[in-house]
Amino acid sequence: MELCTRTVTSFLLLNPSFSSNSLLLPRPNICTPFKFNSLKLSSFSPHIHRFLSPPTSSPFTLSASSSSSSSSSSSSASSVAVAEEQDHLPAELKVTETEQPNSRVRLHVEVPPLVCEDCYKRVIAEFMKQAKIPGFRPGKKVPESILISYVGSKNVHNATIESILRRTLSHAMTSVTGRALQDSVQIVTKFSDMEETYSSLGSLRYDVLVDIAPEIKWIPDNNTYKNLKIVVEIDSDIDAHKASEQEFRRRYKSIGALKVVTDRGLQVGDVAVLDISATTIDQDESNVKNIPSAETKGFNFDTEDGDKVLPGFLDSIIGIQRGESKSFPLVFPETWKQENLRGVHAQFTVECRELFYRDLPELDDSIADKLLPGCTTVEQVKDFLLQRCLEVEQTAREQATDNAILDQISKMIEVDIPQSLFEEQGRQLYGANLLEIQAKMKLNEQQLASLSSPKAVNEYLEHQKENITNLIKQNLAVGDIYRRENLQFASEDLLKEVENSIAEFKRQKQEYDEERVKEQVQEILEGAKVLEWLREHAEIQYVTK
């Protein structure tokens, strides 16, 4: 009789130790000077106006907002584009800078009438070039009053305000150039308020909010990271000798036959198919509750894994026979992974549906090739498995060390994290998780749309706030150390990794931005160099848990 190999893992029984290892993610681009010549003014919303860097660099283009009912006027207004680089203004702006929480700056900009008038003239000149007014030949000068009547005074006003914003924003942002975070600039003044000010005073006032590169403060001083004392906890499961023995035993068991036990109860070494349920124990029977996560049907239980289940569970079912049920109390230990079950007294009921023993072949060199193809002796199999487990152990120790270092340095800094940086990092993490889910589950379009919705993303950002914040602090700390210690990596390493990354994108038939790929690879190499430097200068103690 063949044993059904369904894998049904009970969280209550197996008490999994979920890894909290954090990955060194590419640091967001926080120190790139603000690129005014790649800004595009989006259509105005009544309440908030955002300036975003498009994927490719382009002239700063303005599309005039229009509420005119005339289709010809609207068409003419929306086609006006004034693509200019930062130029000399006929008068100085008055800019007041105020610091805000979360590494944000508010700039209050006052544009004098002289600048507004100059922008108005440019807009009129542009309309003059593009407007096709009946009765006037193309290129022929049209009286301003007729032009405004044709285009619409509101369209002219809107286009002028957009021109003023486009032309003055770069001047207004001078004080934060080199500190402003890309994609974080917002004009927060209502467009209707700007219209009113311009119409009544001939001038313009607007407020800009911009996130700036956060300042990092090391506690207690700037040298605190140079002599780290790190305690690294190593899971006993990654011990190479123990892991290789377990793998050898697993392979050996896999070539044995499972046979039905008919004349005895469960012994260590057997495999049982169990139905399990559990309830809380309470003197007041009305308070007794089921424990849903302990309910499982057809649970394949290898008794040699008894150390991985709830303490006392294996001992309580030893001797159970096929078709028999047993009920027994157990207490969840205070170290149990699920906090809500720690110390809970539970009554378990277990029914043994099937019971098998393993009929294993003689353990000699004749089965070596079955244990590991290409091997001729059992000792050769053991040596190969040990070598592979040693490599895994070394990788795991290095990863655990890096994680411990990153966790330590993130606690040594104080930093006011900008909201735009938090959202960028959070969306990167969410996107990576979504890609992983899609690869595993092959989501349909409806499921993908639901998981990609603003609501789903915002819920993720809220639930993962602490984790995202810690990752940002780690990345900022790493970047600061890289600069302070003047660390460098080989340029050929950068070229090689960029080529590998691009090749992978092409293999997966995914679009990519070569410049962004290069930036991310550079950030990763910088991070690796910092971790290497910190390991060399740290006092590291390893503790097996």
Side-chain angles (χ1 to χ4, degrees):
M1 182 175 181
E2 183 178 354
L3 176 63
C4 175
T5 57
R6 271 191 306 168
T7 303
V8 183
T9 303
S10 169
F11 284 104
L12 285 179
L13 292 175
L14 298 184
N15 189 24
S17 298
F18 295 106
S19 173
S20 59
N21 293 347
S22 59
L23 300 176
L24 179 63
L25 297 175
R27 295 190 306 283
N29 189 358
I30 66 169
C31 295
T32 301
F34 201 75
K35 298 179 181 178
F36 299 106
N37 65 342
S38 65
L39 290 177
K40 182 176 183 179
L41 184 60
S42 61
S43 299
F44 279 103
S45 122
H47 302 292
I48 192 167
H49 320 289
R50 292 181 179 273
F51 289 80
L52 300 175
S53 297
T56 56
S57 181
S58 62
F60 190 9
T61 302
L62 296 176
S63 297
S65 298
S66 175
S67 58
S68 172
S69 60
S70 168
S71 59
S72 61
S73 297
S74 298
S75 174
S76 298
S78 63
S79 67
V80 173
V82 184
E84 304 174 22
E85 299 297 325
Q86 182 178 11
D87 60 3
H88 177 71
L89 298 178
E92 292 292 327
L93 304 179
K94 182 179 179 181
V95 181
T96 305
E97 181 177 322
T98 307
E99 290 188 3
Q100 305 281 305
N102 301 112
S103 297
R104 174 169 283 188
V105 170
R106 177 182 287 268
L107 302 173
H108 177 69
V109 185
E110 296 183 30
V111 184
L114 197 58
V115 175
C116 295
E117 177 64 22
D118 192 56
C119 290
Y120 171 79
K121 291 178 180 178
R122 295 188 181 201
V123 168
I124 288 295
E126 194 66 28
F127 273 125
M128 196 78 72
K129 291 178 183 177
Q130 297 187 22
K132 296 179 181 179
I133 303 175
F136 293 88
R137 292 193 303 273
K140 183 175 177 59
K141 186 173 182 180
V142 180
E144 187 173 315
S145 59
I146 295 178
L147 177 67
I148 293 175
S149 176
Y150 179 78
V151 173
S153 60
K154 186 172 181 62
N155 286 336
V156 173
H157 277 198
N158 290 349
T160 301
I161 291 171
E162 293 188 8
S163 178
I164 294 169
L165 292 172
R166 193 257 337 134
R167 191 175 173 195
T168 62
L169 182 61
S170 59
H171 293 274
M173 297 277 294
T174 301
S175 64
V176 293
T177 299
R179 297 187 294 149
L181 303 191
Q182 291 187 23
D183 299 348
S184 73
V185 182
Q186 303 174 31
I187 295 179
V188 293
T189 304
K190 293 181 181 179
F191 192 70
S192 58
D193 291 343
M194 290 189 281
E195 282 184 297
E196 183 178 346
T197 303
Y198 177 69
S199 297
S200 60
L201 302 177
S203 61
L204 198 68
R205 292 191 297 266
Y206 62 93
D207 282 5
V208 178
L209 286 179
V210 57
D211 290 341
I212 60 174
E215 294 184 7
I216 297 175
K217 179 182 178 182
W218 289 93
I219 306 170
D221 55 56
N222 291 336
N223 294 318
T224 189
Y225 62 82
K226 294 187 176 181
N227 296 292
L228 296 178
K229 293 184 178 180
I230 304 292
V231 176
V232 182
E233 292 188 343
I234 302 295
D235 196 320
S236 60
D237 288 344
I238 71 167
D239 177 81
H241 290 84
K242 179 180 177 181
S244 63
E245 290 173 1
Q246 291 177 340
E247 177 62 16
F248 180 83
R249 179 64 182 171
R250 185 194 68 77
R251 288 169 180 261
Y252 180 43
K253 290 191 296 185
S254 70
I255 62 175
L258 284 175
K259 296 187 176 181
V260 178
V261 174
T262 58
D263 57 350
R264 61 172 175 81
L266 179 72
Q267 297 178 354
V268 174
D270 292 342
V271 175
V273 180
L274 308 174
D275 289 345
I276 305 169
S277 62
T279 61
T280 58
I281 295 176
D282 197 297
Q283 292 182 348
D284 185 353
E285 293 185 1
S286 63
N287 290 332
V288 173
K289 298 178 180 178
N290 291 331
I291 306 177
S293 49
E295 296 180 0
T296 179
K297 301 286 187 181
F299 176 55
N300 295 332
F301 178 49
D302 187 337
T303 55
E304 291 190 0
D305 295 331
D307 58 335
K308 297 179 181 179
V309 298
L310 184 65
F313 181 83
L314 175 59
D315 292 340
S316 298
I317 63 172
I318 288 295
I320 192 172
Q321 296 190 16
R322 183 174 178 269
E324 182 183 359
S325 293
K326 279 193 175 185
S327 184
F328 49 88
L330 289 176
V331 180
F332 288 91
E334 293 298 331
T335 56
W336 198 248
K337 187 68 178 178
Q338 292 168 282
E339 295 183 8
N340 64 314
L341 291 175
R342 292 174 183 173
V344 171
H345 291 248
Q347 186 72 23
F348 279 84
T349 300
V350 176
E351 179 185 354
C352 180
R353 289 170 50 183
E354 301 288 351
L355 184 58
F356 304 90
Y357 71 93
R358 285 192 174 88
D359 186 13
L360 297 174
E362 191 72 24
L363 186 57
D364 55 32
D365 292 342
S366 64
I367 64 170
D369 187 63
K370 293 181 180 179
L371 295 172
L372 187 65
C375 291
T376 56
T377 67
V378 170
E379 199 61 33
Q380 192 178 10
V381 174
K382 291 182 176 180
D383 288 345
F384 182 87
L385 294 177
L386 176 59
Q387 184 59 41
R388 190 160 65 182
C389 288
L390 285 170
E391 294 173 0
V392 172
E393 178 185 358
Q394 181 61 29
T395 300
R397 286 173 69 90
E398 290 175 357
Q399 184 65 65
T401 303
D402 289 347
N403 291 340
I405 290 174
L406 290 169
D407 183 62
Q408 183 92 328
I409 62 174
S410 71
K411 296 174 181 176
M412 293 178 167
I413 65 169
E414 287 183 353
V415 60
D416 203 8
I417 298 175
Q419 182 63 22
S420 61
L421 190 56
F422 173 83
E423 290 183 0
E424 179 187 353
Q425 184 74 85
R427 291 176 191 280
Q428 285 182 8
L429 287 173
Y430 187 75
N433 289 342
L434 195 56
L435 285 174
E436 187 175 346
I437 293 173
Q438 170 72 347
K440 290 180 179 179
M441 301 179 61
K442 302 298 181 183
L443 302 174
N444 58 40
E445 288 187 10
Q446 185 177 356
Q447 292 171 321
L448 196 58
S450 176
L451 289 173
S452 304
S453 68
K455 180 181 178 182
V457 175
N458 290 334
E459 286 178 352
Y460 175 84
L461 295 179
E462 182 62 30
H463 293 158
Q464 295 294 320
K465 184 174 183 179
E466 183 177 355
N467 182 42
I468 295 169
T469 299
N470 287 336
L471 285 174
I472 293 173
K473 292 178 71 175
Q474 290 173 7
N475 296 335
L476 292 175
V478 165
D480 195 55
I481 294 171
Y482 187 85
R483 288 185 291 273
R484 286 178 182 274
E485 299 302 324
N486 296 315
L487 301 178
Q488 294 181 338
F489 56 83
S491 58
E492 54 266 27
D493 290 344
L494 177 62
L495 294 174
K496 179 180 178 182
E497 292 301 327
V498 168
E499 289 176 357
N500 291 341
S501 297
I502 290 177
E504 182 63 20
F505 276 116
K506 290 180 178 179
R507 191 179 70 83
Q508 298 289 343
K509 296 182 179 178
Q510 295 180 355
E511 295 182 1
Y512 62 92
D513 181 335
E514 186 170 345
E515 191 60 33
R516 183 56 183 148
V517 170
K518 184 177 180 180
E519 289 175 1
Q520 291 180 330
V521 169
Q522 180 170 330
E523 290 161 359
I524 293 172
L525 291 175
E526 287 177 5
K529 185 60 67 174
V530 169
L531 286 170
E532 179 185 338
W533 186 91
L534 289 172
R535 284 194 299 268
E536 291 175 354
H537 292 78
E539 179 183 322
I540 302 174
Q541 178 184 357
Y542 293 95
V543 177
T544 302
K545 62 176 179 178

